[in-house]
Amino acid sequence: MLKTKKAGVFAALLAGIMMVTGCSGSNNGGPSASPASSPAATETASASPEAEAPYTFKWLKAQDISKPYDPAKDVVKQAIEEKLNIKIIPEMVDVQQYKTKLNLKMSSGDIPDVVRIDFVDDFQKYAQQGAFVDLTDLINEQDTPNIMREVPKEVFEQAKVNGKIYGIPYQGGPGAGYRWDLVMRKDYLESIGTQTPQTLDEYYNALKKIKAEKKDVIPLGGYTAQIGEQKYANNSFDHIFGAFGVTPGFFTETDGKFSNYDIDPRMKDALLFLQKMYAEGLIDKEFATIKEEQLRTKLYNGKLFSWMGWWSTANGYDTMVETSELVKKGELAADGTLPDQSTEPYKYLTLTGSLVGADGTAVAPMGAPFSQINAISAKTKDPKKVLAIIEESLSEENQMLTVWGIEGADYKLENGLLKSVTDLVDPQTMQDKDGNFRGIQSYLFAPGLKGWPRYLESLPLRASEALDVAINNKYQITDASNYLESPTKIAKLVELNTMRDSVFTQIIMGADIKKFDEFTVKWKSQGGDQILKELEESFKKKAGN
């Protein structure tokens, strides 16, 4: 797809990962090998008689009960326990019932030693009730350098409750950053003698050349949003808005004062520029009415030059474009398919990050830095020891074990590159040839935000290149309203966004720009001003003021 809902894409990207307490989900579909036969397991198995006894703690482990799994036979779990000198007692619960089960335990006071919980829903409430250990004075550069490397100070600030730290923020996998690329037909760029644009002006000039020299090609494609998605945030015109220093829907904060890009004067300039592009025939005339699959058809038929695309889709699109080109030449294989192209460089597409505007900067709207948080129960027998275990687990060496499993069995290093082994587990039994389960990514201890070590190199070439462009976009920004309370925002934001979508579309298609000024007045009077006020009050409260 040209655009994929973030939740859905991450579910595919991070297959096997579930929302769990103290552990990321269960993916037992890793490769097979007994830890006793692997180098990593041999190293972790040795311990002197004088060694400290393993520290035991309880986890509430979400598990896909439709798949076989026995923690007692999980060799990756055993290797982690030996490496960190711990004993995990997992209480298994159906992943669909996890939140209900956790809330029952929280209410009864039977709280697991380490808790992973949805931040926005319940965490703040339980933290204020005294359910979690206050970590404010325990997390710092000197005592917890691994944690501080994974979670930036500003993210800890966002995660505070009444000015205190009660948990370690977590997103999952490679983080929560920007995941969109500006994608263009490389062969079309070459045909007009132009390099991949890096600035808005260069891009605009390339579109003009495409329009002049390729009469049947749409310079910039767009499409209507899917139900439940914001139409102008993370969308077809991200790169244009971003070059003007704005992104629709995002709230901003400066010295405790809040505003929203939807009413920013620079948004007016961006809309005027888009209106100009539309009038000049540089934007698909059907952008406001067609669906994603219709735009995709234009791409496959060679009728589209550029679009904003979710990072994981480019490989499939390049293959489809190649298929279409071979059909035109009568050179497609008899079975109508191509070999796997994922490990080859892109043939027809080129990908780039944000286009910079006249001031040399841009903005790219990334998702919220975290969605869950890991906390230590106030009832655990040794909170400092549990924090120390989490800290140790976040070293790169230990993350390699918790994320990728046992070296030589679950993954291999070939020519210095990480390659996951994927064919040694029976998909029916979820066990290896020795009858072992392999809980890869199933026992992650409060993983941070930087992402799994060596993740990019584990991907096929095209996917790695596409994700690399997206996550290393240096112009990423977050919504300043993340994790702040505003009842009016909950009640009115959909209505305000719907009004914005209608007005912005009208302006792009030629309506009088005065509509923007009228929209600004209505936005403020119909709930916007109240939202800003509530966000400012919540901001002060979170800071402990």
Side-chain angles (χ1 to χ4, degrees):
M1 293 186 300
L2 284 173
K3 181 175 181 181
T4 307
K5 291 184 181 179
K6 291 191 174 183
V9 172
F10 275 107
L13 169 65
L14 314 177
I17 300 179
M18 308 296 180
M19 290 186 290
V20 296
T21 300
C23 62
S24 188
S26 173
N27 176 4
N28 306 312
S32 73
S34 168
S37 64
S38 71
T42 301
E43 293 178 6
T44 60
S46 59
S48 66
E50 296 79 17
E52 180 182 356
Y55 186 89
T56 301
F57 62 92
K58 298 179 180 179
W59 295 61
L60 187 66
K61 187 179 190 310
Q63 185 72 24
D64 182 354
I65 62 174
S66 68
K67 297 181 179 179
Y69 178 68
D70 181 355
K73 296 181 179 180
D74 186 337
V75 292
V76 175
K77 170 181 175 289
Q78 294 166 13
I80 292 170
E81 289 176 323
E82 291 173 358
K83 186 71 166 61
L84 298 177
N85 195 32
I86 59 177
K87 181 63 178 177
I88 306 167
I89 302 178
E91 180 180 345
M92 315 298 288
V93 59
D94 179 13
V95 65
Q96 301 298 327
Q97 299 298 318
Y98 171 76
K99 185 172 181 177
T100 299
K101 181 72 171 180
L102 176 60
N103 284 334
L104 287 173
K105 283 186 165 291
M106 296 295 296
S107 299
S108 67
D110 181 22
I111 308 172
D113 292 292
V114 179
V115 178
R116 179 170 297 165
I117 191 169
D118 290 343
F119 181 80
V120 295
D121 289 347
D122 299 310
F123 178 80
Q124 297 180 62
K125 175 183 68 177
Y126 289 130
Q128 294 180 81
Q129 292 175 356
F132 308 130
V133 174
D134 181 355
L135 303 175
T136 310
D137 297 328
L138 301 178
I139 293 180
N140 53 67
E141 295 285 356
Q142 180 177 346
D143 299 322
T144 57
N146 290 332
I147 293 175
M148 294 303 297
R149 184 191 66 247
E150 290 291 328
V151 184
K153 290 181 179 179
E154 60 269 23
V155 175
F156 269 119
E157 287 296 318
Q158 290 180 300
K160 283 183 175 180
V161 177
N162 293 339
K164 295 184 180 296
I165 297 173
Y166 289 99
I168 302 169
Y170 167 71
Q171 177 63 41
Y178 192 61
R179 292 294 179 270
W180 294 79
D181 295 319
L182 173 57
V183 188
M184 291 167 276
R185 285 286 296 263
K186 178 169 57 177
D187 53 334
Y188 289 1
L189 278 172
E190 293 171 350
S191 72
I192 62 173
T194 300
Q195 299 294 317
T196 301
Q198 301 299 316
T199 71
L200 181 59
D201 283 346
E202 291 173 354
Y203 178 68
Y204 173 75
N205 290 332
L207 297 187
K208 294 282 284 186
K209 287 185 178 181
I210 291 292
K211 175 67 176 176
E213 299 182 24
K214 295 184 177 294
K215 305 296 186 181
D216 61 343
V217 173
I218 299 167
L220 170 59
Y223 63 98
T224 57
Q226 304 301 307
I227 295 174
E229 293 178 342
Q230 290 187 354
K231 185 171 185 179
Y232 285 103
N234 298 338
N235 82 327
S236 305
F237 305 136
D238 247 6
H239 54 314
I240 307 298
F241 286 121
F244 283 87
V246 294
T247 189
F250 270 40
F251 288 86
T252 63
E253 178 270 324
T254 304
D255 298 329
K257 300 297 292 183
F258 280 72
S259 187
N260 188 289
Y261 280 130
D262 287 352
I263 58 173
D264 191 302
R266 292 171 295 177
M267 182 62 75
K268 186 175 185 177
D269 296 334
L271 290 170
L272 282 171
F273 189 81
L274 283 164
Q275 186 183 77
K276 173 184 175 183
M277 292 176 64
Y278 184 85
E280 293 175 348
L282 304 183
I283 296 175
D284 189 354
K285 296 295 185 184
E286 298 182 302
F287 87 90
T289 57
I290 65 172
K291 297 298 183 182
E292 180 182 359
E293 58 270 17
Q294 294 169 292
L295 183 63
R296 204 161 55 232
T297 299
K298 296 181 181 184
L299 161 66
Y300 297 160
N301 291 336
K303 304 298 184 182
L304 182 63
F305 165 64
S306 68
W307 71 96
M308 290 299 296
W310 186 256
W311 74 271
S312 63
T313 61
N315 175 46
Y317 296 151
D318 198 278
T319 300
M320 290 301 296
V321 170
E322 181 177 6
T323 300
S324 179
E325 292 297 322
L326 291 174
V327 168
K328 293 177 184 177
K329 299 175 183 177
E331 299 176 0
L332 186 65
D335 64 0
T337 62
L338 291 175
D340 177 25
Q341 308 286 309
S342 63
T343 59
E344 299 180 10
Y346 287 101
K347 296 179 182 179
Y348 289 90
L349 305 181
T350 182
L351 290 71
T352 190
S354 292
L355 301 171
V356 298
D359 61 355
T361 64
V363 298
M366 64 181 284
F370 62 94
S371 59
Q372 299 172 304
I373 198 160
N374 295 273
I376 298 173
S377 169
K379 294 187 176 183
T380 196
K381 58 182 179 292
D382 191 343
K384 290 185 178 180
K385 177 65 175 178
V386 174
L387 182 64
I389 292 169
I390 293 173
E391 165 67 17
E392 185 181 2
S393 75
L394 285 175
S395 71
E396 182 167 342
E397 176 186 354
N398 288 330
Q399 284 193 72
M400 289 295 292
L401 175 59
T402 58
V403 172
W404 300 115
I406 299 169
E407 183 179 355
D410 299 300
Y411 71 92
K412 297 179 181 180
L413 296 178
E414 299 178 356
N415 299 319
L417 298 178
L418 184 147
K419 300 295 181 185
S420 291
V421 181
T422 60
D423 59 353
L424 298 179
V425 167
D426 186 319
Q428 299 299 318
T429 66
M430 303 304 294
Q431 293 171 277
D432 62 24
K433 60 182 175 60
D434 298 317
N436 298 315
F437 292 97
R438 314 197 66 87
I440 308 303
Q441 299 148 18
S442 190
Y443 289 92
L444 305 180
F445 298 85
L449 304 179
K450 292 293 183 66
W452 301 339
R454 310 186 72 155
Y455 180 75
L456 284 178
E457 70 186 62
S458 74
L459 297 173
L461 177 62
R462 287 186 180 177
S464 177
E465 289 181 354
L467 183 58
D468 184 54
V469 170
I471 65 177
N472 288 309
N473 187 321
K474 65 181 180 179
Y475 300 109
Q476 300 178 64
I477 63 167
T478 58
D479 188 330
S481 69
N482 287 333
Y483 318 119
L484 298 179
E485 296 181 8
S486 171
T488 307
K489 179 184 174 185
I490 295 173
K492 301 290 292 185
L493 193 59
V494 171
E495 177 184 326
L496 293 176
N497 286 347
T498 300
M499 177 170 60
R500 174 201 65 209
D501 293 350
S502 175
V503 172
F504 283 15
T505 299
Q506 292 175 51
I507 292 173
I508 292 172
M509 297 180 73
D512 194 319
I513 194 61
K514 290 181 180 178
K515 281 186 172 291
F516 178 80
D517 299 320
E518 296 168 357
F519 161 75
T520 298
V521 172
K522 290 181 180 178
W523 188 94
K524 292 180 177 180
S525 64
Q526 295 180 16
D529 277 347
Q530 183 62 25
I531 293 174
L532 300 181
K533 179 182 177 181
E534 291 170 358
L535 290 176
E536 289 167 8
E537 291 172 350
S538 179
F539 182 81
K540 293 177 182 178
K541 181 180 179 182
K542 179 177 284 291
N545 297 330

